[in-house]
Amino acid sequence: DAGVIQSPRHEVTEMGQEVTLRCKPISGHNSLFWYRQTMMRGLELLIYFNNNVPIDDSGMPEDRFSAKMPNASFSTLKIQPSEPRDSAVYFCASSLGLLAGNTGELFFGEGSRLTVL
Amino acid sequence: GENVEQHPSTLSVQEGDSAVIKCTYSDSASNYFPWYKQELGKRPQLIIDIRSNVGEKKDQRIAVTLNKTAKHFSLHITETQPEDSAVYFCAAPSGAGSYQLTFGKGTKLSVIP
């Protein structure tokens, strides 16, 4: 398996523009997470899906942020409109969860570095 | 929700010395404690984890200890090497059986040759 695949790797946009980040989890994983990483706040969990259903989106900072998982192999994180304070590295991760026999390890993608000017 | 505190935020050691990073957590129901390593510009990757039914786990030069009573766990790296230089994150789930991990703020470890 190629691992968790994220795109784009880098995105530079202007304030007010819409940003869409994409993620393909590892095949067979039933849990998908979106994290945001900044120097000040570290790794923050934004939203978590289990079997394509959003379970906890309490980490989504504002209504400008939305996430979808239309099927088991694809998820998007959208920011509309974007603001400079959204600049960060956004990681997608997938997992088999804490089911019997599974370790719960999170497999991260390479991340999408977003810069909002 | 879970609150994870990690110390120190930066740590410099001489090559060959040991490094210790400590974390505390708030949710007494948590039962799984992983450590992730993130090299510069790379993704975080799991290096070791421990479950609440054991007090210590070792894997070559790294070890993790857990004190459930005090709600803290530590990462120990012995005989440090330059390639150990990275940011290390501890994490804990939001309660037993939870899939959601809350991460500490990270420790930047520098191993000086």
Side-chain angles (χ1 to χ4, degrees):
Chain A
D1 200 311
V4 176
I5 299 172
Q6 290 186 246
S7 65
R9 291 293 311 280
H10 302 275
E11 173 95 4
V12 180
T13 191
E14 293 192 345
M15 182 174 62
Q17 295 298 305
E18 178 180 294
V19 173
T20 299
L21 308 178
R22 298 172 178 79
C23 176
K24 181 181 186 307
I26 292 173
S27 177
H29 282 189
N30 66 344
S31 298
L32 183 139
F33 307 80
W34 283 100
Y35 281 89
R36 178 172 68 176
Q37 185 174 37
T38 60
M39 287 293 293
M40 290 298 294
R41 302 172 70 92
L43 273 166
E44 301 174 276
L45 178 63
L46 300 178
I47 188 169
Y48 148 54
F49 292 86
N50 190 50
N51 293 324
N52 312 338
V53 176
I55 303 300
D56 185 353
D57 64 354
S58 59
M60 297 286 262
E62 299 169 35
D63 291 344
R64 298 184 297 106
F65 286 70
S66 62
K68 294 182 179 179
M69 191 164 186
N71 57 62
S73 59
F74 184 65
S75 176
T76 59
L77 177 68
K78 186 175 292 187
I79 308 172
Q80 166 62 19
S82 58
E83 296 182 3
R85 59 194 168 117
D86 302 331
S87 298
V89 179
Y90 292 81
F91 284 102
C92 175
S94 70
S95 166
L96 285 165
L98 291 174
L99 300 173
N102 297 322
T103 65
E105 178 178 357
L106 287 185
F107 293 83
F108 285 83
E110 298 276 13
S112 294
R113 180 175 294 275
L114 173 65
T115 301
V116 183
L117 303 174
Chain B
E2 179 70 274
N3 183 39
V4 178
E5 299 285 338
Q6 182 172 349
H7 300 279
S9 56
T10 60
L11 179 60
S12 290
V13 299
Q14 290 292 136
E15 183 177 356
D17 287 349
S18 295
V20 181
I21 303 169
K22 300 181 180 181
C23 286
T24 61
Y25 60 97
S26 59
D27 190 340
S28 57
S30 294
N31 61 355
Y32 170 67
F33 306 94
W35 286 88
Y36 284 75
K37 176 183 181 182
Q38 186 179 27
E39 296 177 354
L40 187 63
K42 301 289 183 64
R43 73 187 88 185
Q45 292 186 288
L46 179 72
I47 55 171
I48 194 168
D49 57 23
I50 190 168
R51 296 187 186 274
S52 57
N53 56 345
V54 297
E56 184 177 6
K57 183 177 178 181
K58 287 183 179 179
D59 183 2
Q60 299 182 345
R61 295 186 297 108
I62 61 173
V64 57
T65 58
L66 171 65
N67 183 327
K68 283 223 73 178
T69 303
K71 289 191 284 187
H72 69 71
F73 56 112
S74 300
L75 177 71
H76 303 253
I77 306 174
T78 58
E79 300 172 27
T80 53
Q81 300 169 3
E83 53 263 39
D84 295 329
S85 295
V87 178
Y88 292 82
F89 294 93
C90 62
S94 299
S98 170
Y99 299 172
Q100 298 172 237
L101 289 181
T102 298
F103 284 85
K105 289 286 198 296
T107 297
K108 183 177 181 180
L109 174 64
S110 300
V111 179
I112 304 164

